[in-house]
Amino acid sequence: MEKLQGRINLPDQDYDITIGSGVCNSVRDIIDRLPGRPFFVVDGGIPALPCPAHSRVLRVPGGEAIKTMDFVRTLIHRLVLSGMHKTDFLVVVGGGTLLDAAGMAAGLLFRGVPMVSCPATSTAMADAVIGGKTGVNLPWGKNLVGMFKHPDLVLVDPQFLLTLGMRDLYAGLFEVLKTSLLAGGDMWYYVSEHVAALIDRDQDAWTRVITMSLNFKLNVVKADPLDQGARHVLNLGHTIGHAIEAATAFRTFRHGEAVLMGIVAAVELSYAQGLMCLDTKRTILNAIARFHLPHMKELEVDALKDSLALDKKAGTWVLLHDIGRPELVHGIQWHQVRAALVTSLEWLKHSGRTYSVRPPNAVILVINGPNLQRLGAREPKIYGHDTYSDLVTLVRRHANELGVHTIFFQSDIEGELIATINRLAGIVDGIVINPGALTHTGIGLRDALAACNRPVAEVHISKVSEREPFRQKSLIRPIAYTRIEGQGIAGYVQALDRLVQGALKSAPQP
């Protein structure tokens, strides 16, 4: 286990960073030592943590769709209505998008409440968890609204990586690669020599690269805590990466995938500008080619021009003289950027090991109602031994095979399920729902599902039609496109198939 001290030369903003496999298993003991009451904000696709008794846990969706002012406002409302006071603190468990949005809420609520960050994706662990930047997107660009809000404690547990799909794992690896290019030296050597171990999710290897990444970022942040100059080097690959995300409506690429494409373009631009020699360019590209790399045939280079102009650091480019020798460059023209993009995208297409990236065939909201987070422990003779984590892993893996993006949400509270359906109705193409006990009583939930005008698949893990009479009544069944019961967590996979291959192909979308 590693422990870093996040000293960033700002008043009252020193914090501990603990990194190690299994560290979040001790979250109860760690948080019990902090003053105030913990309020957890947890990505709905993440298994429940061993929270202290009487903790308030808000489960929310994850993904780029939540990086909006509407989500931040709704989260603040929920925290206030849950009884949070200025003396309490927020514990955020999720990926970089949730850390960004919930961090902004923590900075605004009561003019700032303490925050504990527990990153649960490779991208968040290696980069987003420290530095203090929070923010949300606007339709025209990424992170155009935000503020600085540093965490008060950071807990990084690489065991979360075991639940990620390959694209999500690679997204964080590409951020690690970015930092190694900036840091050079031991970090570059270690990352380039341990690609296989990192892909295999080796806990020791990930603990080491996360430690090196955060150490490097901390040193940069110390020198420029408010991001006024020197810290801009951390944006290697991000100017073009953000433009790619915006030009594809934040639906196609993982953030790290877009950054990787931006890094390859920055290497090409560095060479074209005469900063980088050919041998260095080849060394970097040969190392990058050891990864499986994203490629999208339909990406229109000229569509990036407007998004580039709206980037927060428009006109400032992070280029490389050599590995470990970045430079901020100004005055580069669009035709030069375009030429580098065309060349780099062509290289990505033929680099050997690529995977095709395309807009998702569908975005599916997967909702679980009361007590579903206790799968595996709750009446295993009826509900089986599979855990909520097993469910999420299985569904995500199958969704990736279908080219479908999934957003998970679980709550024991009907109002939170309704609010999530209403908030995401305009984003998702279909809904898979296991309402739990609300199947029989949730009139408001039924009405929200009917009003969202999206096909609904109702799922039950047990064979409810053969159980007690009161369990056989379903308020959801009349409005559902399909219903599956008694198949365990495999029923969720069948629900995805029926929505994607049936309802979404045949039904006109509003």
Side-chain angles (χ1 to χ4, degrees), residues 38-41 51-59 78-79 81-83 411 413 416:
F39 283 69
F40 284 76
V41 177
C51 305
H54 310 301
S55 296
R56 183 74 174 93
V57 180
L58 304 181
R59 285 194 167 269
R78 291 177 66 186
L79 291 168
L81 291 173
S82 297
S411 177
I413 301 172
E416 293 183 356

Side-chain angles (χ1 to χ4, degrees), residues 425-431 449-456 479 509-510:
I427 296 173
V428 303
D429 301 296
I431 297 173
L449 290 168
C452 77
N453 200 23
R454 295 291 188 270
V456 174
I479 63 164
Q509 294 300 303

Side-chain angles (χ1 to χ4, degrees), residues 127-453:
D127 183 66
V129 72
I130 65 168
K133 289 185 180 180
T134 72
V136 296
N137 304 330
L138 295 179
W140 311 279
K142 189 176 176 74
N143 295 331
L144 295 184
V145 180
M147 63 184 299
F148 284 96
K149 168 60 181 172
H150 292 275
D152 296 82
L153 176 66
V154 175
L155 304 174
V156 183
D157 190 344
Q159 282 191 358
F160 279 123
L161 302 177
L162 301 177
T163 68
L164 298 182
M166 284 306 299
R167 284 186 66 189
D168 293 310
L169 183 76
Y170 267 110
L173 269 175
F174 297 147
E175 286 281 4
V176 168
L177 179 67
K178 176 211 76 172
T179 305
S180 73
L181 281 168
L182 295 171
D186 290 342
M187 184 174 182
W188 166 257
Y189 176 78
Y190 188 88
V191 171
S192 59
E193 292 297 317
H194 291 80
V195 172
L198 294 168
I199 292 173
D200 288 340
R201 307 166 203 247
D202 180 89
Q203 297 290 287
D204 291 337
W206 270 99
T207 297
R208 183 160 179 183
V209 298
I210 291 168
T211 302
M212 290 190 288
S213 292
L214 298 186
N215 255 326
F216 178 81
K217 184 170 182 178
L218 279 171
N219 288 328
V220 175
V221 172
K222 287 177 188 178
D224 183 16
L226 297 179
D227 196 22
Q228 295 176 331
R231 184 170 169 177
H232 290 184
V233 297
L234 296 175
N235 281 343
L236 176 64
H238 282 64
T239 299
I240 287 176
H242 288 168
I244 290 172
E245 290 180 273
T248 53
F250 303 105
R251 283 174 59 102
T252 302
F253 291 97
R254 308 294 197 269
H255 173 65
E257 291 173 334
V259 167
L260 184 278
M261 299 171 77
I263 289 171
V264 176
V267 169
E268 184 59 42
L269 195 54
S270 299
Y271 176 68
Q273 292 290 307
L275 299 179
M276 178 185 292
C277 69
L278 182 59
D279 284 346
T280 298
K281 173 184 169 181
R282 286 173 174 166
T283 297
I284 294 173
L285 293 183
N286 286 340
I288 292 175
R290 297 180 64 189
F291 297 89
H292 284 85
L293 305 176
H295 166 61
M296 180 182 176
K297 290 185 293 187
E298 297 84 5
L299 185 63
E300 291 290 340
V301 171
D302 290 322
L304 306 183
K305 185 176 181 180
D306 291 341
S307 295
L308 282 171
L310 286 169
D311 188 78
K312 301 185 303 297
K313 297 178 178 66
T316 301
W317 293 87
V318 186
L319 302 182
L320 295 168
H321 286 276
D322 202 344
I323 298 165
R325 288 183 59 205
E327 180 181 342
L328 300 178
V329 178
H330 306 274
I332 295 178
Q333 303 300 309
W334 164 244
H335 72 275
Q336 297 169 307
V337 176
R338 188 185 189 283
L341 272 166
V342 170
T343 302
S344 60
L345 292 175
E346 190 67 19
W347 180 83
L348 281 167
K349 189 187 305 182
H350 302 290
S351 61
R353 299 195 301 173
T354 62
Y355 58 87
S356 179
V357 175
R358 62 183 185 274
N361 294 327
V363 178
I364 302 295
L365 176 60
V366 183
I367 291 185
N368 285 287
N371 297 316
L372 269 299
Q373 82 279 11
R374 299 188 63 245
L375 279 178
R378 178 192 175 207
E379 299 181 85
K381 288 185 179 180
I382 296 175
Y383 299 104
H385 294 278
D386 292 317
T387 65
Y388 185 74
S389 177
D390 295 331
L391 186 160
V392 171
T393 300
L394 176 69
V395 174
R396 278 183 172 158
R397 184 181 298 123
H398 189 65
N400 288 337
E401 294 172 358
L402 296 175
V404 169
H405 178 64
T406 48
I407 301 173
F408 286 83
F409 182 72
Q410 187 280 326
S411 177
D412 295 341
I413 301 172
E414 183 178 8
E416 293 183 356
L417 300 176
I418 293 171
T420 298
I421 292 168
N422 291 338
R423 184 166 59 249
L424 297 181
I427 296 173
V428 303
D429 301 296
I431 297 173
V432 173
I433 183 167
N434 184 340
L438 294 172
T439 305
H440 329 297
T441 62
I443 296 174
L445 180 61
R446 178 258 178 223
D447 289 347
L449 290 168
C452 77
N453 200 23

